[in-house]
């Protein structure tokens, strides 16, 4: 009976220990399973990688460290080296190595201070995650507990990846990636055994890499580690001897800076936790940079300081080279840091092929169709060609190849500004945010802004469509992790895309650049240039089967220069860039997307009864239905010199001939460019002109004012009312035109038919009568205040 209380007391103590142990285990389980939170939530360096993983550029992290992002993979050589140096039993312990702890306790007790920390790789990760603080027993205990928690939540490879990404490597280098590039100029995956061992021993004392004595100690540690790898059978004897002969890095290497502006633009995405993996090809990018810098030096001598270029692989649908800005200035200029390839710039005439393609697609145009190239005015907007000359009438494909402004404006007026603007937005232009009426007809001549990358992408889209690629309905990609996005260009047919590019193969190469002709004879390229108003932006884009290249040249600050034109400044570098590429022959006609159509050989319209004919190609979807009105059957006298009718010549004696006749205003400007053009003969004898008295429009046209025009009378600098210049043309060179305004005779002109006057505001009726009595009537409205005055013939030649 007396022993029972003792047994009961012992049992109670056991229960207490069991309860305490259970509570401890429960607390440990709660601790281990409690969420860790975000480890290493520190800013990362923006890093841009090439298609093959090579480094194109990097920038400092926000905290001033070089801390590259890394995935969960650890390079094999570094993985084996760091395990042998830091933690050989890494895969055998749960984050704390009991054997290492026992050894460390013994060493520290003998020394009377902390000499060995028994830190496993997991504990080092815990220490790196906590940052800062003195090495104390309390801190070591916290690190040990956090190590257990890490082991419970992460795999061994994930823990090793955390260590590789956050270990210090001297100066402000953090992580294996930054260290590998700064010390050896290559990816961690490409390190030699000696280099991997150097980086494996460095985090123990990263400051050793900053002086000569420290490097000696590092070499001893590296060589010791190499010897261990040999003893473990990880490397062979030959590898050991070669590795021991490798010198240690004596300093930091400069990072590659192949595409700085692209990286700066991408770095705006602060939430990016992985490298920017591009499609850029390292060697192509390097060569393009060198060519751009050399060409930029030539531009600088002409007062042009900036250049940008983009290369797109048409088959891949991705950007493979990117020069955001070659900023050249002998003085500091902040504009050199602007990524011009993605900055809005005035487009010049670089958008004209897009309008041409849309017109073909919608059945409003054939490549051979004549487009009027005559003085044109729309509500005060008066476009002019770059050479300030008019050609009367030009086939549409030549008007595009020659980049004539007047035909382009007339076609846009026909197609509709809102329709074209909305189309450009669907096709990928993000800069057209204003209402269509704000742009007006100048939209086709540079009244809008576009980005080089986006415009080059649309040209590449034309090439991809013409090639018949199944993925042509998706936009061009810049980064590998971008998902392909469907874009509006897929609404365009391969036939319209091909015919547009075919027209662009006829662009004239300037004589002063003879090697351009050599290039064009060897390779197929469809290309277009553009120059903005004020000579501030020069564009050139070329499309080949393999690649599309876009170039912009100018001054980023908007300074204009006479030399900043598409042909003189941008096109030469376009062909330099193309010379670096295997352009892939030529784009073949997509026969299934085209149809053969008979058109008038002279006008390009559907042929009439008297038209000579030829066959042209149109997009399969085209429903072009406009007939030719330019050919007429003319009755001539036996000599063929005069027109006649049955009242002056018997039918039996008449000669009948088909005649190609342009409207008078088109004929006036057409004839100097086409000596073969024959104007209509005059009527014979007394019948001359009688048939056409009622319709003077057959022989004369008003250049200005056009039908429905509202005329504004300007005010001179001194406040006096200015004058408006009225202009007419006549089919007959020596014709006399008598001018009447509101039934009052004004003046008469011969040869050059221009009259200056300032009519009163309001409605007016202008009547022109030539010396044969043929009349032309035009009503117009005057807006603004003006004072009546006598007309002044302007350059009218002799007057009667």
């Amino acid at each position: 009976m007396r022993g029972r209380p003792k047994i009961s007391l012992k049992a109670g103590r056991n229960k207490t220990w069991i309860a305490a142990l259970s509570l401890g285990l429960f607390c440990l389980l709660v601790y281990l399973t409690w969420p860790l939170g975000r480890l290493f939530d520190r800013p990362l360096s923006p890093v841009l990688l090439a298609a093959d993983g090579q480094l194109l550029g990097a920038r400092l992290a926000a905290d001033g460290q070089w801390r590259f992002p890394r995935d969960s993979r650890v390079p094999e050589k570094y993985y084996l080296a760091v395990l042998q140096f830091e933690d050989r039993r890494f895969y055998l312990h749960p984050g704390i190595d009991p054997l290492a702890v026992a050894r460390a306790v013994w060493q520290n007790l003998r020394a009377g201070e902390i000499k060995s920390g028994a830190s496993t790789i997991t504990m080092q990760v815990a220490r790196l995650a906590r940052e800062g603080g003195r090495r104390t027993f309390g801190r070591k205990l916290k690190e040990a507990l956090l190590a257990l928690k890490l082991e419970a939540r992460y795999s061994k490879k994930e823990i090793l990846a955390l260590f590789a990404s956050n270990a210090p490597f001297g100066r402000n280098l953090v992580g294996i990636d930054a260290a590998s590039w700064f010390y050896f100029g290559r990816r961690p995956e490409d390190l030699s055994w000696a280099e991997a061992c150097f980086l494996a021993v460095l985090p123990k004392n990263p400051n050793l890499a900053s002086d000569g004595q420290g490097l000696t100690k590092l070499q001893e540690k590296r060589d010791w580690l190499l010897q261990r790898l040999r003893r473990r059978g990880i490397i062979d004897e030959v590898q050991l001897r070669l590795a021991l002969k490798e010198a240690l890095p004596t300093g930091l290497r400069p990072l590659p800076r192949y595409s700085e502006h692209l990286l700066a633009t991408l770095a705006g995405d602060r939430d990016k936790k992985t490298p920017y993996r591009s499609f850029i090809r390292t060697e192509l990018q390097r060569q393009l940079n060198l060519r751009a810098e050399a060409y930029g030096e030539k531009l600088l001598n002409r007062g042009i300081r900036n250049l940008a270029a983009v290369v797109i692989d048409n088959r891949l649908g991705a950007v493979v080279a990117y020069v955001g800005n070659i900023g050249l200035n002998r003085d500091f200029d902040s504009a050199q840091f602007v990524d011009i390839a993605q900055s809005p710039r005035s487009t010049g005439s670089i958008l004209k092929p897009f309008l041409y393609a849309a017109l073909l697609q919608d059945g409003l145009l054939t490549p051979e169709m004549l487009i009027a190239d005559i003085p044109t005015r729309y509500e005060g907007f008066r476009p002019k060609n770059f050479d300030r000359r008019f050609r009367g009438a030009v086939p549409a494909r030549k008007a595009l190849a020659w980049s004539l402004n007047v035909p382009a404006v007339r076609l846009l007026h026909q197609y509709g500004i809102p329709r074209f603007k909305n189309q450009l937005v669907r096709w990928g232009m993000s800069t057209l945010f204003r209402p269509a009426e704000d742009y007006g007809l100048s939209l086709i001549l540079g009244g809008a802004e576009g980005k080089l990358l986006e415009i080059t992408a649309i040209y590449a889209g034309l090439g991809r469509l013409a090639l018949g690629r199944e993925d042509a309905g998706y936009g061009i990609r810049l980064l590998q992790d971008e998902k392909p996005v469907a874009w509006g260009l897929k609404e365009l047919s391969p036939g319209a895309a091909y015919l547009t590019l075919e027209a662009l193969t006829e662009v004239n190469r300037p004589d002063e650049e003879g090697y351009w002709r050599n290039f064009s004879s060897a390779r197929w390229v469809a290309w277009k240039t553009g120059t903005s108003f004020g000579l501030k932006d020069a564009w050139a884009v070329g499309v080949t089967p393999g690649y599309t290249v876009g170039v912009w040249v100018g001054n980023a600050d908007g300074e204009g220069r006479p030399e900043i034109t598409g042909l003189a400044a941008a096109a030469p570098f376009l062909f330099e860039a193309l010379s670096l590429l295997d352009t892939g022959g030529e784009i073949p006609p997509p026969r299934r997307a085209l149809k053969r159509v008979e058109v008038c050989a002279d006008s390009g319209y559907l042929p009439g009864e008297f038209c000579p004919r030829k066959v042209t190609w149109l997009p399969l979807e085209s429903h072009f239905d406009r007939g030719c009105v330019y050919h007429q059957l003319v009755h001539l006298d036996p000599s063929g010199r005069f027109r006649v009718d049955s009242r002056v010549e018997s039918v039996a004696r008449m000669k009948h001939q088909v005649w190609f006749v342009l409207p008078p205003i088109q004929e006036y400007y057409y004839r100097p460019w086409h000596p073969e053009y024959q104007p209509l003969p005059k009527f014979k004898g007394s019948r001359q002109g009688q048939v056409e008295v009622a319709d003077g429009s057959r022989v004369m046209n008003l250049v200005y004012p056009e039908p429905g025009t509202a005329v504004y009378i300007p005010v001179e600098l001194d406040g006096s009312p200015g004058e408006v210049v009225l202009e007419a043309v006549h089919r007959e060179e020596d014709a006399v035109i008598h001018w009447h305004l509101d039934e009052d005779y004004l003046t008469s002109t011969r040869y050059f038919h221009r009259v200056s006057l300032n009519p009163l505001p309001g409605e007016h009726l202008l009547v022109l009568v030539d010396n044969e009595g043929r009349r032309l009537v035009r009503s117009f409205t005057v807006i603004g205040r003006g004072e009546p005055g006598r007309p002044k013939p302007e350059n009218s030649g002799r007057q009667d």
Side-chain angles (χ1 to χ4, degrees), residues 25-48:
L25 290 174
F26 176 75
C27 291
L28 179 61
L29 181 62
V30 171
Y31 172 75
L32 293 177
T33 57
W34 195 263
L36 265 173
R38 297 184 65 178
L39 288 177
F40 302 105
D41 189 17
R42 297 161 193 167
L44 298 175
S45 296
V47 173
L48 179 62

Side-chain angles (χ1 to χ4, degrees), residues 7-21:
I7 294 175
S8 177
L9 180 61
K10 185 176 181 180
R13 289 176 178 174
N14 288 339
K15 290 181 180 179
T16 302
W17 279 106
I18 292 172
L21 182 60

Side-chain angles (χ1 to χ4, degrees), residues 160-431:
L160 195 57
L162 287 172
F163 176 76
S165 299
N166 295 280
F169 287 90
R171 296 182 173 88
N172 60 342
L173 304 181
V174 178
I176 180 67
D177 290 82
S180 179
W181 280 105
F182 272 103
Y183 284 114
F184 302 109
R186 58 176 62 93
R187 299 185 305 163
E189 290 78 8
D190 299 331
L191 292 173
S192 67
W193 280 110
E195 293 165 346
C197 288
F198 171 82
L199 294 181
V201 303
L202 184 56
K204 279 286 188 184
N205 195 341
N207 294 327
L208 291 178
S210 60
D211 59 67
Q213 292 182 348
L215 286 175
T216 302
K217 294 180 181 179
L218 282 174
Q219 182 160 1
E220 293 173 357
K221 291 184 177 185
R222 183 204 70 173
D223 293 350
W224 175 87
L225 179 55
L226 286 168
Q227 296 284 357
R228 171 172 277 190
L229 292 176
R230 175 69 187 98
R231 290 193 299 271
R232 298 286 178 181
I234 297 173
I235 61 175
D236 58 32
E237 189 64 30
V238 174
Q239 290 174 315
L240 173 63
R241 288 201 302 267
L242 292 174
L244 292 173
K245 290 181 179 180
E246 288 189 33
L248 266 64
T250 56
L252 300 182
R253 295 170 178 260
L255 289 182
R257 301 173 64 184
Y258 288 140
S259 196
E260 292 182 88
H261 296 89
L262 175 58
L263 177 58
T265 299
L266 294 172
D269 180 8
R270 294 295 182 184
D271 295 330
K272 184 75 170 176
K273 300 300 181 184
T274 58
Y276 298 101
R277 301 182 185 277
S278 72
F279 295 92
I280 291 176
R281 296 167 190 166
T282 307
E283 183 58 22
L284 174 60
Q285 181 70 38
R286 187 187 68 82
Q287 292 186 36
L288 190 65
N289 284 347
L290 292 175
R291 295 288 185 97
E293 290 169 2
Y295 185 72
E297 290 291 343
K298 300 177 183 177
L299 292 175
L300 187 58
N301 295 329
R302 296 152 63 183
I304 307 172
R305 298 183 294 276
N306 302 97
L307 176 150
V310 174
V311 180
I312 294 174
D313 186 319
N314 292 339
R315 295 181 175 88
L316 187 62
V319 176
V320 294
Y322 185 105
V323 178
N325 184 359
I326 294 296
L328 296 163
N329 197 343
R330 297 184 176 94
D331 301 319
F332 176 81
D333 181 7
S334 60
Q336 64 186 300
F337 302 110
V338 177
D339 183 3
I340 295 178
Q342 297 196 61
S343 298
R345 306 294 305 191
S346 176
T347 56
S349 58
I350 205 70
L351 304 181
K352 289 176 182 175
F354 307 153
L355 176 62
Y356 182 87
L359 289 161
L360 284 172
Q361 171 88 359
D362 293 346
L364 301 175
L365 192 73
T366 75
E368 308 297 330
M369 190 178 86
L370 288 180
I371 309 298
D373 182 20
I374 57 178
T376 301
R377 190 189 299 254
Y378 294 109
E379 298 180 358
F381 177 57
R382 189 170 187 175
K384 295 181 180 179
N385 296 322
F386 193 79
D387 60 2
R388 298 293 193 271
R389 294 188 289 179
F390 300 101
R391 291 157 178 80
V394 185
R397 59 181 177 80
K398 289 189 176 181
L400 177 61
W402 297 343
S403 195
L404 298 179
N405 292 337
V406 173
V409 169
R410 296 179 73 94
L411 288 173
L412 178 58
H413 184 262
Q414 171 191 348
Y415 190 72
I417 303 168
R419 184 180 180 187
F420 184 55
K421 181 253 184 180
N422 293 335
Q423 181 185 61
L424 293 174
V425 173
R426 291 196 307 274
W427 288 7
M429 286 188 66
S430 64
T431 51

Side-chain angles (χ1 to χ4, degrees), residues 62 82 90 99 316 344 372:
V82 79
F90 178 65
L99 294 177
L316 187 62

Side-chain angles (χ1 to χ4, degrees), residues 101-114:
V101 170
R103 185 188 68 247
V105 169
W106 173 248
Q107 292 175 349
N108 293 337
L109 287 175
R110 289 184 61 184
E113 59 180 339
I114 297 178

Side-chain angles (χ1 to χ4, degrees), residues 90 122 125 150-151 154-163:
F90 178 65
T122 312
V125 171
L150 288 170
E151 292 278 350
Y154 293 100
S155 69
K156 288 289 186 178
K157 285 194 173 182
E158 288 174 331
I159 292 172
L160 195 57
L162 287 172
F163 176 76

Side-chain angles (χ1 to χ4, degrees), residues 594-615:
L594 297 171
K595 62 182 179 182
R596 295 165 64 89
V597 177
E598 263 196 352
V599 296
C600 172
D602 293 326
S603 70
Y605 289 82
L606 296 181
E609 179 184 0
F610 304 116
C611 292
R613 300 168 183 240
K614 70 175 182 180
V615 174

